[in-house]
Structures are given as C-alpha cells and as structure tokens.
C-alpha cells in the first residue's frame, strides 16, 4: 500500500488553519469558545501556525460530561481554540486519504455515508431473500475506551509516513485513555481502527452482505451455522489483532421473524419500519408542538421507511391518534 508523506506543511499552513476555523464553527456560532476566539482570531491563528511549526502544540485539558440518550456515555470536550481547529486542520488534509481506504459499506462520520444510506443498502441487500435468511448482529464492548494506542498508531502508519504529522497525531492519540468520545478526530480514527478488519471480512472471508456503522455490525447470510463459525473467527481477529471484545448481546436470528434493528430502523425482507423509540419521539414532538425544524428531522427519518400513514397521522397532529402511537409503539 502506497504511503503518503510531505503533509505536515499543508496541515500547518495559515490558509488551512483559516479553512479549519471556518469548518469547525459551522452551526456553532453561539458557543462561548468561538466568541472568545473571535476577539483575537487573526492573532490566534498566527500563534497556532507558529505552535505547529515549532512543535510546541499540546492537547489542552479535557472536560467531561455524561449524556443518557440514546445510551449513557461519557463525552470528552476540548476548547475550540486551539484544539478543535487543529483537529479540523488535520482532517482537511487526511480525510480524502483515509476515506479512500474505507470499504464500500463502512458508514458513520464519512461524507455522504450516513444513517440513511446504511439503511438503504441493508434494505437493498434484503431483496435477495435466499442469501439473507439469517442475520449476525453484534457490536464491540466499550469500543472507544478499548482502543489500543500502539495498535492505533501502527494502523495510521500503514498510510501516513510524514514524521512530523505522525508526531502530531500520536500526541493527540496519547492525550487520553482509549479514544475520547466527542473528539472530531476520534470519529475518523475509530473508523480507521476497524477498516482493515472490514477488508478482512470482505476480501478474505468473502462476506458479501456486511455493513458497519461505527462499531455496530450487521452480516447477512443463508446459513445459521456458517454465521456462528464466522462469529468465532471475528472474536479471534478482534481479540488478537485489535485488542477488542465482542459485546455479549450479539444475536444470530432469522430475519423474517424478527427484522433487523439497525441505524434507527427495523428492516425486513419486504419492508422497513422506524425503530419504536424514534416513532415515540416523533409523536411526542408533535404532541408538544415542536417547531418545523424538529418535525422535519423526524419526517426525514420516516421518509426512508414504509411510513406514509404514520407521517400523515403525525403531520395532522390528531391528539387521539398521536396518543395512540405513543401508548402502543
């Protein structure tokens, strides 16, 4: 595999730092860190340029907070300046390089490859019912905290050879245990951590119907015993090569009787429905009179499923029908 060098100067350039600043602030202009940075924006960017050039940049202190939806997670946060700008500056240069090695069915935090594309490709695969009778669904136990720094660095080096850029990436990797959830760079590094596993599944194990969204995996096949055997090999690969474990809630089941709960949908061979929790949230948003933007987001979910009647009922906001959906779904 060809490795790429001479990248650090591009990352450090003042033009790239200005671009990173513009991209990092999108949709976040009201944040205190951005307002504070804007008081001395040009001075800050010039200072950051010098910090990167003379390698005096160090990752700032993290602050953490906990979220409970869709599940309990500890989120790490870095200051807007200089850290979030640095992460965007790195990804301005590396995103096309790393994206080029992701498999066709790797999703999450990749431009154009979000939830709806993942759902549509699983639905398309399910049209071939003989090849997709059974599903192996699994995820990785404590994925982000379990990422091994030395393995992560070795994977980065399979594509990047610029020693100065490797110094910067290494320093960010080593700034926290595992990979901190919430870092812009962590999203891409976590995808990269599993990308050679993806290639092993697709190219060495010849798995045709394989889909990964972050650490959530769906594999479809025509044989339950074959999926059990593949699960055993996956456990071995993840443990021996990546230091990861399969979470104990893995499932191997017939698709026709249960459907596949994946990326917010429940998918069958013949149709796709919204996940119950999202349907309930949609109904609650209508009942509480949420604004058009909130409702439009839920309609965006629903339009990718077989939910025309649901959209009609919820859009009209009929109180009894909405209450019925909230109570029965």
């Amino acid at each position: 595999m060809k490795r790429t060098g001479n990248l650090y100067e591009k990352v450090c350039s003042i033009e790239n730092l200005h671009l990173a600043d513009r991209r990092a602030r999108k949709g976040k202009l009201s944040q205190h860190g951005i307002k504070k940075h804007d008081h001395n924006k040009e001075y800050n960017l010039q200072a950051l340029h010098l910090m990167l050039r003379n390698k005096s940049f160090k990752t700032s202190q993290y602050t953490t907070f906990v979220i409970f939806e869709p599940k309990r997670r500890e989120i790490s946060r870095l200051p807007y300046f200089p850290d979030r700008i640095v992460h965007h500056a790195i990804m301005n240069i590396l995103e096309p390089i790393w994206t080029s090695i992701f498999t066709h069915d790797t999703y999450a935090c990749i431009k154009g490859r979000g939830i709806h594309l993942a759902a549509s490709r699983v639905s398309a695969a399910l049209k071939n019912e003989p090849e997709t009778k059974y599903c192996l669904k699994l995820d990785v136990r404590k994925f982000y905290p379990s990422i091994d720094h030395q393995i992560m660095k070795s994977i980065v080096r399979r594509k990047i050879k610029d020693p100065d850029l490797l110094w910067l990436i290494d320093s960010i990797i080593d700034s926290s245990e595992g990979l901190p959830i919430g870092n812009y760079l962590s999203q891409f590094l976590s995808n990269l951590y599993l990308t050679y596993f993806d290639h092993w599944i697709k190219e060495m194990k010849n798995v045709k119907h394989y889909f990964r969204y972050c650490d959530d995996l769906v594999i479809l096949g025509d044989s339950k015993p074959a999926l059990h055997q593949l699960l055993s090999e996956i456990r071995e690969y993840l443990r021996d090569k990546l230091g990861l474990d399969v979470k104990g809630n893995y499932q191997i089941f017939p698709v026709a009787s249960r459907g596949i709960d994946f990326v917010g949908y429940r998918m069958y061979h013949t149709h796709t429905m919204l996940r119950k929790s999202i349907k309930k949230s949609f109904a609650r948003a209508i009942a509480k009179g949420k604004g058009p933007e909130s409702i439009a987001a839920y309609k965006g979910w629903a339009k990718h499923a077989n939910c025309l009647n649901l959209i009609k009922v919820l859009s009209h906001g009929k109180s009894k029908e909405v209450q019925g959906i909230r109570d029965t779904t």
Side-chain angles (χ1 to χ4, degrees), residues 297-312:
Y298 286 111
K299 285 184 177 180
W301 281 87
K303 75 178 183 180
H304 291 274
N306 302 106
C307 298
L308 289 178
N309 187 58
L310 173 68
I311 295 172
K312 183 178 179 181

mmCIF file of all heavy atoms in Angstrom, residues 297-312:
data_model
loop_
_atom_site.group_PDB
_atom_site.id
_atom_site.type_symbol
_atom_site.label_atom_id
_atom_site.label_comp_id
_atom_site.label_asym_id
_atom_site.label_seq_id
_atom_site.Cartn_x
_atom_site.Cartn_y
_atom_site.Cartn_z
ATOM 1 N N ALA A 297 -36.934 16.907 10.873
ATOM 2 C CA ALA A 297 -35.916 15.879 11.132
ATOM 3 C C ALA A 297 -36.570 14.508 11.243
ATOM 4 O O ALA A 297 -36.066 13.524 10.676
ATOM 5 C CB ALA A 297 -35.152 16.213 12.403
ATOM 6 N N TYR A 298 -37.690 14.426 11.956
ATOM 7 C CA TYR A 298 -38.367 13.141 12.093
ATOM 8 C C TYR A 298 -38.974 12.691 10.764
ATOM 9 O O TYR A 298 -38.976 11.503 10.431
ATOM 10 C CB TYR A 298 -39.456 13.220 13.166
ATOM 11 C CG TYR A 298 -38.895 13.244 14.569
ATOM 12 C CD1 TYR A 298 -38.973 14.381 15.363
ATOM 13 C CD2 TYR A 298 -38.266 12.117 15.103
ATOM 14 C CE1 TYR A 298 -38.451 14.402 16.647
ATOM 15 C CE2 TYR A 298 -37.743 12.119 16.376
ATOM 16 C CZ TYR A 298 -37.838 13.272 17.153
ATOM 17 O OH TYR A 298 -37.315 13.284 18.423
ATOM 18 N N LYS A 299 -39.496 13.649 9.995
ATOM 19 C CA LYS A 299 -40.024 13.280 8.681
ATOM 20 C C LYS A 299 -38.909 12.739 7.787
ATOM 21 O O LYS A 299 -39.139 11.849 6.967
ATOM 22 C CB LYS A 299 -40.695 14.497 8.023
ATOM 23 C CG LYS A 299 -42.043 14.853 8.616
ATOM 24 C CD LYS A 299 -42.678 16.006 7.844
ATOM 25 C CE LYS A 299 -44.054 16.326 8.387
ATOM 26 N NZ LYS A 299 -44.690 17.451 7.658
ATOM 27 N N GLY A 300 -37.699 13.302 7.966
ATOM 28 C CA GLY A 300 -36.556 12.786 7.216
ATOM 29 C C GLY A 300 -36.294 11.331 7.534
ATOM 30 O O GLY A 300 -35.981 10.530 6.642
ATOM 31 N N TRP A 301 -36.406 10.966 8.826
ATOM 32 C CA TRP A 301 -36.279 9.554 9.204
ATOM 33 C C TRP A 301 -37.384 8.730 8.543
ATOM 34 O O TRP A 301 -37.120 7.668 7.954
ATOM 35 C CB TRP A 301 -36.406 9.411 10.723
ATOM 36 C CG TRP A 301 -35.190 9.743 11.502
ATOM 37 C CD1 TRP A 301 -34.813 10.979 11.959
ATOM 38 C CD2 TRP A 301 -34.160 8.848 11.932
ATOM 39 N NE1 TRP A 301 -33.635 10.895 12.645
ATOM 40 C CE2 TRP A 301 -33.213 9.602 12.656
ATOM 41 C CE3 TRP A 301 -33.964 7.480 11.788
ATOM 42 C CZ2 TRP A 301 -32.078 9.042 13.220
ATOM 43 C CZ3 TRP A 301 -32.846 6.909 12.357
ATOM 44 C CH2 TRP A 301 -31.911 7.679 13.063
ATOM 45 N N ALA A 302 -38.600 9.223 8.677
ATOM 46 C CA ALA A 302 -39.750 8.423 8.264
ATOM 47 C C ALA A 302 -39.810 8.202 6.755
ATOM 48 O O ALA A 302 -40.266 7.154 6.296
ATOM 49 C CB ALA A 302 -41.041 9.082 8.746
ATOM 50 N N LYS A 303 -39.352 9.174 5.983
ATOM 51 C CA LYS A 303 -39.487 9.038 4.531
ATOM 52 C C LYS A 303 -38.599 7.947 3.957
ATOM 53 O O LYS A 303 -38.793 7.527 2.816
ATOM 54 C CB LYS A 303 -39.212 10.377 3.839
ATOM 55 C CG LYS A 303 -37.750 10.776 3.766
ATOM 56 C CD LYS A 303 -37.592 12.096 3.027
ATOM 57 C CE LYS A 303 -36.129 12.484 2.878
ATOM 58 N NZ LYS A 303 -35.969 13.765 2.147
ATOM 59 N N HIS A 304 -37.629 7.462 4.739
ATOM 60 C CA HIS A 304 -36.773 6.369 4.288
ATOM 61 C C HIS A 304 -37.319 5.009 4.716
ATOM 62 O O HIS A 304 -36.648 3.994 4.567
ATOM 63 C CB HIS A 304 -35.355 6.553 4.826
ATOM 64 C CG HIS A 304 -34.632 7.713 4.217
ATOM 65 N ND1 HIS A 304 -33.924 7.605 3.032
ATOM 66 C CD2 HIS A 304 -34.531 9.006 4.595
ATOM 67 C CE1 HIS A 304 -33.398 8.786 2.727
ATOM 68 N NE2 HIS A 304 -33.757 9.649 3.659
ATOM 69 N N ALA A 305 -38.530 5.007 5.261
ATOM 70 C CA ALA A 305 -39.165 3.760 5.671
ATOM 71 C C ALA A 305 -40.566 3.696 5.070
ATOM 72 O O ALA A 305 -41.006 4.633 4.402
ATOM 73 C CB ALA A 305 -39.237 3.691 7.200
ATOM 74 N N ASN A 306 -41.254 2.581 5.298
ATOM 75 C CA ASN A 306 -42.620 2.423 4.802
ATOM 76 C C ASN A 306 -43.582 3.001 5.836
ATOM 77 O O ASN A 306 -44.243 2.274 6.570
ATOM 78 C CB ASN A 306 -42.910 0.942 4.541
ATOM 79 C CG ASN A 306 -41.927 0.356 3.541
ATOM 80 O OD1 ASN A 306 -41.029 -0.400 3.899
ATOM 81 N ND2 ASN A 306 -42.083 0.714 2.270
ATOM 82 N N CYS A 307 -43.638 4.330 5.899
ATOM 83 C CA CYS A 307 -44.339 5.028 6.985
ATOM 84 C C CYS A 307 -45.264 6.123 6.480
ATOM 85 O O CYS A 307 -45.456 7.135 7.171
ATOM 86 C CB CYS A 307 -43.314 5.626 7.950
ATOM 87 S SG CYS A 307 -42.258 4.434 8.771
ATOM 88 N N LEU A 308 -45.835 5.985 5.316
ATOM 89 C CA LEU A 308 -46.674 7.056 4.776
ATOM 90 C C LEU A 308 -47.856 7.355 5.688
ATOM 91 O O LEU A 308 -48.202 8.517 5.925
ATOM 92 C CB LEU A 308 -47.159 6.682 3.373
ATOM 93 C CG LEU A 308 -46.093 6.690 2.257
ATOM 94 C CD1 LEU A 308 -46.712 6.259 0.940
ATOM 95 C CD2 LEU A 308 -45.467 8.067 2.135
ATOM 96 N N ASN A 309 -48.488 6.315 6.220
ATOM 97 C CA ASN A 309 -49.640 6.544 7.091
ATOM 98 C C ASN A 309 -49.217 7.204 8.394
ATOM 99 O O ASN A 309 -49.903 8.089 8.909
ATOM 100 C CB ASN A 309 -50.353 5.228 7.384
ATOM 101 C CG ASN A 309 -51.660 5.451 8.144
ATOM 102 O OD1 ASN A 309 -52.543 6.158 7.660
ATOM 103 N ND2 ASN A 309 -51.773 4.852 9.328
ATOM 104 N N LEU A 310 -48.062 6.780 8.927
ATOM 105 C CA LEU A 310 -47.543 7.391 10.156
ATOM 106 C C LEU A 310 -47.282 8.884 9.946
ATOM 107 O O LEU A 310 -47.659 9.708 10.776
ATOM 108 C CB LEU A 310 -46.256 6.690 10.578
ATOM 109 C CG LEU A 310 -45.503 7.325 11.749
ATOM 110 C CD1 LEU A 310 -46.298 7.178 13.039
ATOM 111 C CD2 LEU A 310 -44.114 6.709 11.899
ATOM 112 N N ILE A 311 -46.639 9.227 8.828
ATOM 113 C CA ILE A 311 -46.352 10.633 8.537
ATOM 114 C C ILE A 311 -47.656 11.426 8.427
ATOM 115 O O ILE A 311 -47.775 12.536 8.956
ATOM 116 C CB ILE A 311 -45.545 10.764 7.234
ATOM 117 C CG1 ILE A 311 -44.161 10.125 7.402
ATOM 118 C CG2 ILE A 311 -45.403 12.227 6.828
ATOM 119 C CD1 ILE A 311 -43.373 10.044 6.121
ATOM 120 N N LYS A 312 -48.653 10.842 7.776
ATOM 121 C CA LYS A 312 -49.941 11.516 7.595
ATOM 122 C C LYS A 312 -50.599 11.778 8.942
ATOM 123 O O LYS A 312 -51.070 12.890 9.226
ATOM 124 C CB LYS A 312 -50.847 10.658 6.714
ATOM 125 C CG LYS A 312 -52.189 11.306 6.406
ATOM 126 C CD LYS A 312 -52.996 10.401 5.477
ATOM 127 C CE LYS A 312 -54.363 11.025 5.189
ATOM 128 N NZ LYS A 312 -55.181 10.150 4.295
#
